């Protein structure tokens, strides 16, 4: 089966004076998926979005978005994308309805078609009741939804979301997430840059971790988590049982257990995907280790991010 890519870049480079923002960025985002682009501040995420949306020209490399070259076919790219940047683009003095109708005209969707599309999006994003209020009276979450609605006026094939939920409360963030899921269900491809690791974990089909202007690590959230393993932790009934519990975990995981005498815990990282909590408990019981609690916790995406972008300790772990 041939995969069709909505975003495809090879060796993208961009320099700002002495700063190399991108150093050969490769991306491959299949149609109808959400690609989460992660990375520390200054990694090159926003520069990549600006190149892919034709706001900047690359110094080297190539990229195609919705099948069009971002340098030679800029107008075609722009006709097929939507962009929601880090800062809201709505006019706070206009009402929500006026904002969307204005954006519709700017996109060439005029007359009844523009008015109808604006009303459709106001309804889709739960803004009809506030449609005739000035956007300046909207909450942060409502403005962000209005901004997202504006980027969808032309039904883009590819939507770029550059940190879309920064500063929003959990309820507003959930509303944006629901909107993104609905879009991908309809076939829209989304490239999402975010600093919220939970956001990427919830939404992304595939993740690209950018470090120093390159795609350092790629994979699904589950694949990235598997790279650093699950964490097994045992709480024993007495401090005297710690060494025996550590010996069992050592045998099961092959990793050096960490003991905490004050908490009476023993923990170790397991890279074995077949290791289960019932097996751990059975082995401890067979060894006669009295336990109060036991857990096997998969890593969070936050832990993956911190481990794989730790330049001092894990540079050698970064693979393409």
């Amino acid at each position: 089966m041939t995969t069709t890519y909505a975003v495809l870049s090879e060796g993208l480079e961009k320099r700002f004076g002495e700063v190399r923002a991108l150093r050969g960025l490769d991306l491959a985002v299949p149609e109808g998926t959400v690609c989460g682009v992660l990375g520390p501040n200054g990694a090159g995420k926003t520069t990549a979005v600006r190149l892919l949306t034709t706001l900047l020209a690359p110094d080297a490399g190539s990229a195609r978005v919705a099948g069009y070259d971002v340098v030679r076919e800029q107008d075609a790219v722009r006709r097929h994308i939507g962009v929601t940047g880090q800062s809201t683009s709505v006019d706070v003095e206009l009402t929500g309805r006026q904002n969307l109708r204005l954006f519709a005209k700017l996109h060439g969707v005029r007359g009844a078609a523009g008015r109808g599309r604006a009303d459709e999006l106001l309804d889709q994003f739960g803004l009809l009741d506030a449609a005739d209020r000035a956007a300046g009276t909207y909450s942060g979450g409502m403005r962000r939804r209005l901004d997202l609605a504006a980027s969808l006026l032309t039904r883009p094939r590819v939507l770029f979301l550059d940190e879309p939920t920064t500063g929003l409360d959990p309820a507003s963030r959930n509303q944006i997430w629901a909107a993104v899921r609905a879009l991908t269900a309809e076939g829209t491809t989304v490239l999402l840059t975010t600093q919220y690791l939970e956001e990427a974990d919830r939404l992304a089909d595939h993740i690209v971790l950018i470090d120093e202007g390159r795609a350092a690590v790629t994979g699904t959230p589950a694949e990235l988590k598997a790279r650093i393993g699950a964490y097994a932790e045992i709480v024993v009934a007495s401090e005297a049982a710690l060494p025996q519990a550590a010996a069992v975990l050592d045998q099961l995981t092959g990793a050096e257990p960490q003991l905490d005498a004050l908490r009476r815990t023993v923990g170790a990282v397991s890279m074995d995907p077949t290791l289960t909590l019932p097996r751990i408990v059975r082995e401890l019981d067979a060894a006669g280790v009295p336990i109060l609690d036991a857990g096997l916790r998969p890593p969070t995406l936050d832990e993956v991010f911190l481990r794989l972008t730790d330049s001092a300790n894990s540079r050698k772990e970064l693979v393409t």
Side-chain angles (χ1 to χ4, degrees), residues 230 232 245-258 266-273 275 279-280 296:
V248 172
L249 276 191
D250 186 9
Q251 183 179 16
L252 288 173
T253 66
E256 182 178 355
Q258 303 297 312
V266 182
V269 174
S270 171
M271 301 302 295
D272 181 1
L275 183 63
R279 181 184 170 195
I280 294 173
L296 182 63

Side-chain angles (χ1 to χ4, degrees), residues 138-156:
Y138 286 11
S139 67
M142 292 172 68
R143 287 192 207 178
R144 210 61 176 134
R145 278 184 281 151
L146 183 62
D147 205 34
L148 183 54
S151 68
L152 298 173
L153 281 159
T154 58
R155 295 183 171 87

Side-chain angles (χ1 to χ4, degrees), residues 3-8 27-35 189-191 208:
T3 301
T4 303
Y5 294 102
V7 178
L8 185 63
L27 291 175
V29 184
E31 286 187 342
T33 64
V34 178
C35 176
T189 303
V190 176
L191 192 145
V208 177

Side-chain angles (χ1 to χ4, degrees), residues 94-203:
L94 298 179
T95 67
R97 196 187 310 276
Q98 289 170 335
N99 265 286
L100 291 190
R101 288 183 178 181
L102 174 61
F103 279 111
K105 290 180 181 179
L106 293 174
H107 284 293
V109 185
R110 301 178 181 278
R115 295 191 294 273
R117 181 62 176 154
D119 289 345
E120 178 185 342
L121 287 166
L122 288 167
D123 185 33
Q124 179 180 339
F125 285 90
L127 295 170
L128 267 182
D129 289 344
D132 296 313
R133 282 170 39 199
T137 68
Y138 286 11
S139 67
M142 292 172 68
R143 287 192 207 178
R144 210 61 176 134
R145 278 184 281 151
L146 183 62
D147 205 34
L148 183 54
S151 68
L152 298 173
L153 281 159
T154 58
R155 295 183 171 87
R157 289 170 54 186
V158 183
L159 177 63
F160 292 87
L161 300 179
D162 193 7
E163 302 189 18
T165 62
T166 297
L168 297 187
D169 60 72
S172 297
R173 194 172 302 145
N174 282 329
Q175 290 174 329
I176 296 295
W177 291 352
V180 172
R181 292 190 194 98
L183 290 171
T184 54
E186 296 172 357
T188 301
T189 303
V190 176
L191 192 145
L192 166 74
T193 72
T194 181
Q195 295 284 9
Y196 292 114
L197 282 299
E198 182 189 4
E199 184 163 78
D201 207 359
R202 293 276 195 96
L203 295 178

Side-chain angles (χ1 to χ4, degrees), residues 13 47 49 95 141 217 228 230 232 258 291:
E13 297 190 11
T47 298
V49 169
T95 67
V217 179
I228 68 171
Q258 303 297 312
I291 65 172

